[in-house]
Amino acid sequence: MPGPPGPSPPASTSPLCPTCGATRVGEYCQACGERRLDPERDHSLRWLLGQLVDGLLQLDAKVLRTYRALLVRPGSLTRDHLEGRRVRTVMPFQLFLLTGLVFYLCFSHAYAAPVAALADARARGVWFGNILQYDIRGAIAAKAAATGQTADVLAMRVFDRAGQESKIFLGALVPVQALALWLLHRRHEPRFVPHLIAALHLFTVFLVFDLVFLWVWRLLGHRTITDTMFLPLVVTYAVHVFVGLRRIHGGGLLATGVRTLAFLAVFLAAILAYRQVITIVAVRLV
């Protein structure tokens, strides 16, 4: 009778790859790329710490390279991704999440419409100032009476809650940007996903610009920022979008300029609506 099977050869000496089972020649598996195990190296604390440091350095270099391409050469990161040059930069969704996290941690509040502005717009019949024509003053007064609070205190709580909630759902603006890009460039690129990738990059740029903008105003001593103070941000972003769209899709100066203005109009309208809806929703949350 045959005896029991002998022990398997150590992974460091076996000719078979432990991951895919293919015959391995040399240091790496030709089928899956798995590296040959060397216990003296791979099971040492020095090697483990070296891998940690190397991984952090590579990540830092990759992130810095990605942000440099995103901000210094508008549209190039999107163009590279669509043409398959992806290995040296951070993927679009990961980049958006990373930037959104930094934005979330740096500022306690984001975009929300002031309660007084919504109430005054409805009273004066200004549609774009309260697109849902929501009676926020009446809703707050009714809730204040039911909870024993003053309307002024409740209005401040509503605005504070809206500012907190608005940071969480900023990503909802990305599909709006993607849809606008698809409508403007569907003849050049009929698929939606490439425009979604471009939108992720463009919205990430907006968050970075916004971070810088808000920090500058804070360093200048401004604790409250009015809508008119956002004009430099809008102009800077418009220039970036123009250069980026031209690099991604080509086209003449006039055509790209018209598409840029249309894209910005949709984006700014979406931000306006987003701010108002977040504040209205906050009335029910406080």
Side-chain angles (χ1 to χ4, degrees):
M1 294 180 61
S8 300
S12 57
T13 60
S14 172
L16 300 181
C17 173
T19 298
C20 68
T23 301
R24 180 172 49 192
V25 179
E27 184 74 4
Y28 294 92
C29 174
Q30 283 70 39
C32 69
E34 185 72 75
R35 186 176 184 176
R36 183 184 297 275
L37 176 69
D38 180 355
E40 293 296 324
R41 177 196 63 205
D42 300 338
H43 295 166
S44 68
L45 181 60
R46 179 180 178 181
W47 181 85
L48 186 63
L49 292 176
Q51 289 296 301
L52 174 61
V53 172
D54 187 55
L56 291 175
L57 290 176
Q58 288 184 13
L59 178 62
D60 287 346
K62 196 171 187 178
V63 169
L64 291 175
R65 187 185 304 117
T66 303
Y67 276 113
R68 184 167 58 248
L70 182 74
L71 300 174
V72 177
R73 295 184 290 119
S76 64
L77 192 63
T78 303
R79 187 73 266 159
D80 287 347
H81 186 88
L82 296 179
E83 293 177 353
R85 295 183 291 272
R86 308 172 183 179
V87 69
R88 302 183 70 229
T89 54
V90 179
M91 297 297 283
F93 193 68
Q94 293 172 326
L95 184 66
F96 165 71
L97 289 178
L98 175 61
T99 309
L101 178 63
V102 173
F103 185 92
Y104 184 91
L105 294 175
C106 285
F107 296 98
S108 59
H109 294 74
Y111 310 103
V115 172
L118 286 172
D120 291 344
R122 185 176 186 274
R124 292 186 289 111
V126 180
W127 177 82
F128 66 85
N130 188 336
I131 59 174
L132 298 179
Q133 290 298 292
Y134 180 73
D135 184 10
I136 193 168
R137 185 169 286 156
I140 289 178
K143 193 158 191 175
T147 57
Q149 305 176 69
T150 66
D152 289 340
V153 170
L154 190 58
M156 288 190 293
R157 288 185 57 202
V158 166
F159 184 64
D160 183 68
R161 181 63 181 270
Q164 296 174 24
E165 295 294 327
S166 66
K167 296 191 304 179
I168 301 173
F169 302 104
L170 276 175
L173 296 172
V174 174
V176 176
Q177 283 193 323
L179 180 61
L181 291 173
W182 178 77
L183 291 173
L184 291 169
H185 299 97
R186 64 185 185 277
R187 290 186 179 179
H188 180 263
E189 175 53 77
R191 295 168 297 179
F192 183 75
V193 170
H195 301 294
L196 180 60
I197 292 168
L200 284 166
H201 286 154
L202 287 175
F203 194 73
T204 300
V205 169
F206 180 79
L207 288 179
V208 173
F209 284 0
D210 202 15
L211 276 167
V212 174
F213 169 81
L214 292 173
W215 276 116
V216 168
W217 281 118
R218 284 196 175 187
L219 291 174
L220 292 176
H222 295 275
R223 310 308 299 176
T224 302
I225 301 175
T226 63
D227 288 346
T228 55
M229 295 167 69
F230 278 92
L231 183 60
L233 171 65
V234 173
V235 172
T236 304
Y237 188 59
V239 173
H240 186 98
V241 171
F242 174 83
V243 177
L245 292 182
R246 195 148 188 249
R247 178 169 279 138
I248 296 169
H249 297 289
L253 294 175
L254 180 59
T256 305
V258 171
R259 292 189 179 102
T260 299
L261 291 176
F263 172 81
L264 289 174
V266 172
F267 182 49
L268 294 176
I271 291 179
L272 182 69
Y274 177 80
R275 293 176 59 192
Q276 295 178 17
V277 170
I278 285 291
T279 302
I280 291 170
V281 171
V283 177
R284 300 180 178 273
L285 297 178
V286 296

